[in-house]
């Protein structure tokens, strides 16, 4: 089966065409600057990448260019669009309505729209992507896969905030969690590796990238996660502050003589390791600067590792133990020294990292010693493949 996986942002659209039997990517690409001017970067597997500057006034135009590229005689990978069997859409927020992926119907579209309030930058763009695909591929089944769905199994004591209960009832103010597709994919793989798919299990998944979150997974279900009502919560990130005392928001607004919105923009876009270091949000730049003696870059890296250790420790506590830990995403898969730094905090669990085994980037590996009490793994995430699998399973 050929599955077209779509991840639509406000001015961008990422896609992959995946063969569900071999699980191989047939082509992938990115439309950027939709609504501004437009650029399509299309990479058919085994052929050269094609970059086209084309006017993309809206997402429908972008999808139309992608479909043209996919079936083009030179850079294409299929003869006809009818070869595409299904479309899987990444949707950021499913609120409390969606605990699983669903086949998209008019009712589903309405329910996604009702979650717009919770993800005003992302859900409307996701819906636009669905509408554009429906217009151009009217008879092809489509599936919505939600970033929040995996975390809907969290117990009440984990997802409620200590605010008047009415705000949860009326406005659905609660922890939702994100990166669910990745946490689900990596935790399934980890349970498969340690042979505990059908047994009682306690694992912790560290999705560490530009956006980062850690999830506690008990018996295959998310029981707590570090992101909250929005993806601003939890760990220190590339440009996001992670958890801070909420009183800082009002305090800074007064000091800077700006609005609460402005402070939230600072916390989302100018904080995190970039804000601390003044160097970059990219961990490669930070490590280089730190090695060259930049103190603030060192502080940023120390803070990142410390917060990761804090969350891992709290999840060991709430699950009363842990069988295995996995690192994934850009930093988790590639940053050898950061994995080591985080695990150095975990000696109390009897965790011991093997420096030779930890010397890996971007590939699946066990990085703990034979006698480590808890095994630690690197497991590359693949959200697009996870979306393709969910799509096939549903149709
Ligand atoms: P992501 O958001 O998952 O793409 O992760 C982005 C982060 O991963 C950046 O901070 C990068 O520094 C880090 N990263 C990605 N690739 C590498 C690599 N090959 N070596 C070290 N860090 C990497």
């Amino acid at each position: 089966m050929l599955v077209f996986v779509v991840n639509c942002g406000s001015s961008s659209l990422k896609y992959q065409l995946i063969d569900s039997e071999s699980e191989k990517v047939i082509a992938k690409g990115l439309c950027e600057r939709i609504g501004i001017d437009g650029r399509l970067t299309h990479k058919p597997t085994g052929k050269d990448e094609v970059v086209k500057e084309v006017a993309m006034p809206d997402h429908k135009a972008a999808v139309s260019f992608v479909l043209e590229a996919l079936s083009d005689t030179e850079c294409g990978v299929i003869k006809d669009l009818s070869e595409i069997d299904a479309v899987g859409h990444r949707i950021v927020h499913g609120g409390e309505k969606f605990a699983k992926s669903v086949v998209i119907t008019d009712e589903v579209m309405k329910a996604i729209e009702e979650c717009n309030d919770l993800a005003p930058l992302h859900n409307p763009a996701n819906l636009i992507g669905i509408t554009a695909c429906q217009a151009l591929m009217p008879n092809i089944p489509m599936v919505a896969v939600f970033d929040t769905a995996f975390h809907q199994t969290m117990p009440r004591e984990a997802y409620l905030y200590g605010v008047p209960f009415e705000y949860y009832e009326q406005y659905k103010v609660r922890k939702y969690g994100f990166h669910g597709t990745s946490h689900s994919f990596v935790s399934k793989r980890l349970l498969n590796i340690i042979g505990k798919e059908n047994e009682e299990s306690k694992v912790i998944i560290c999705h560490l990238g530009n956006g980062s979150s850690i999830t506690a997974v008990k018996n295959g279900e998310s029981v707590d996660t570090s992101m909250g009502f929005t993806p601003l919560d939890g760990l220190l990130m590339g440009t996001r502050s992670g958890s801070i005392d909420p009183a800082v928001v009002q305090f800074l607004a007064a000091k800077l003589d700006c609005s609460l919105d402005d402070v939230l923009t600072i916390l989302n876009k100018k904080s995190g390791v970039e804000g601390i270091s003044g160097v970059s949000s990219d961990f490669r730049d930070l490590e280089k600067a730190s090695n060259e003696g930049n103190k603030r870059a060192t502080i940023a890296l120390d803070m990142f590792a410390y917060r990761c250790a804090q969350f891992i420790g709290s999840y060991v506590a709430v699950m009363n133990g842990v069988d295995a830990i996995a690192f994934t995403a850009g930093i988790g898969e590639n940053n050898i020294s950061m994995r080591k730094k985080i695990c150095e905090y975990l000696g109390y669990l009897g965790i011991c990292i093997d420096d030779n085994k930890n010397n890996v980037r971007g590939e699946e590996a066990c990085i703990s010693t034979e006698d480590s009490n808890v095994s630690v793994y690197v497991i590359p995430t693949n959200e697009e493949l996870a979306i393709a699998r969910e799509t096939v399973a549903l149709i």
Side-chain angles (χ1 to χ4, degrees), residues 208-211 281-284 329-331 334-335 361:
L208 310 180
N210 215 355
S281 61
D282 191 299
F283 277 60
R284 286 166 285 201
I331 298 160
N334 296 296
N335 196 317
R361 289 182 203 273

Side-chain angles (χ1 to χ4, degrees), residues 55-104:
M56 292 178 189
D58 55 30
H59 286 76
K60 191 173 165 197
V63 175
S64 165
F65 284 120
V66 172
L67 296 179
E68 255 173 45
L70 286 172
S71 52
D72 184 82
T73 45
E74 278 177 19
C75 68
V77 288
I78 51 176
K79 285 204 181 78
D80 192 89
L81 291 183
S82 61
E83 290 173 47
I84 297 177
D85 297 292
V87 184
H89 291 270
R90 178 194 179 212
I91 311 293
V92 166
H93 220 305
E96 288 191 325
K97 293 193 170 77
F98 298 104
K100 287 195 167 73
S101 306
V102 286
V103 173
I104 297 173

Side-chain angles (χ1 to χ4, degrees), residues 210 238 273-274 277-298 300-301 331 335 361:
N210 215 355
V273 290
E274 181 172 296
S277 67
V279 173
S280 168
S281 61
D282 191 299
F283 277 60
R284 286 166 285 201
D285 302 337
L286 289 175
E287 289 206 317
K288 185 166 175 284
S290 172
N291 290 336
E292 288 166 2
N294 185 313
K295 289 219 168 53
R296 277 170 53 185
T298 306
L301 292 169
I331 298 160
N335 196 317
R361 289 182 203 273

Side-chain angles (χ1 to χ4, degrees), residues 138-300:
N139 300 316
I140 297 180
M142 308 212 179
V143 168
V145 181
F146 300 90
D147 258 20
T148 48
F150 182 59
H151 301 299
Q152 279 297 303
T153 46
M154 284 189 289
R156 229 178 336 215
E157 60 272 25
Y159 71 70
L160 283 179
Y161 290 133
V163 297
F165 196 70
E166 303 83 80
Y167 300 151
Y168 164 61
E169 291 177 313
Q170 288 167 19
Y171 307 122
K172 297 287 171 225
V173 172
R174 52 159 286 177
K175 175 188 283 200
Y176 289 99
F178 298 86
H179 293 141
T181 311
S182 175
H183 286 296
S184 164
F185 180 86
V186 175
S187 60
K188 279 199 183 84
R189 179 66 195 137
L190 179 59
L191 292 177
N192 175 267
I193 295 172
I194 64 171
K196 288 205 168 212
E197 281 165 307
N198 302 312
E199 283 177 35
E200 289 193 354
S201 59
K202 300 164 182 177
V203 299
I204 294 174
I205 310 301
C206 307
H207 176 112
L208 310 180
N210 215 355
S212 295
S213 65
I214 297 186
T215 296
V217 181
K218 194 170 180 183
N219 305 331
E221 294 185 339
S222 170
V223 290
D224 205 349
T225 190
S226 61
M227 282 179 169
F229 180 65
T230 73
L232 177 57
D233 202 6
L235 300 169
L236 189 74
M237 299 178 228
T239 62
R240 285 173 245 169
S241 64
S243 313
I244 57 163
D245 181 340
V248 168
V249 177
Q250 183 271 336
F251 181 86
L252 274 182
K255 287 284 178 203
L256 302 173
D257 191 20
C258 66
S259 67
L260 296 182
D261 274 3
D262 292 338
V263 177
L264 280 177
T265 303
I266 294 170
L267 296 181
N268 268 304
K269 304 213 162 137
K270 298 194 170 155
S271 301
V273 290
E274 181 172 296
I276 293 290
S277 67
V279 173
S280 168
S281 61
D282 191 299
F283 277 60
R284 286 166 285 201
D285 302 337
L286 289 175
E287 289 206 317
K288 185 166 175 284
S290 172
N291 290 336
E292 288 166 2
N294 185 313
K295 289 219 168 53
R296 277 170 53 185
T298 306
I299 296 170

Side-chain angles (χ1 to χ4, degrees), residues 109 126 182 203 231 242 249 252 286 288 318 338 352 382 392:
M109 294 280 282
N126 299 157
S182 175
V203 299
V249 177
L252 274 182
L286 289 175
K288 185 166 175 284
V318 295
M338 183 51 73
C352 192
N382 191 337
V392 171

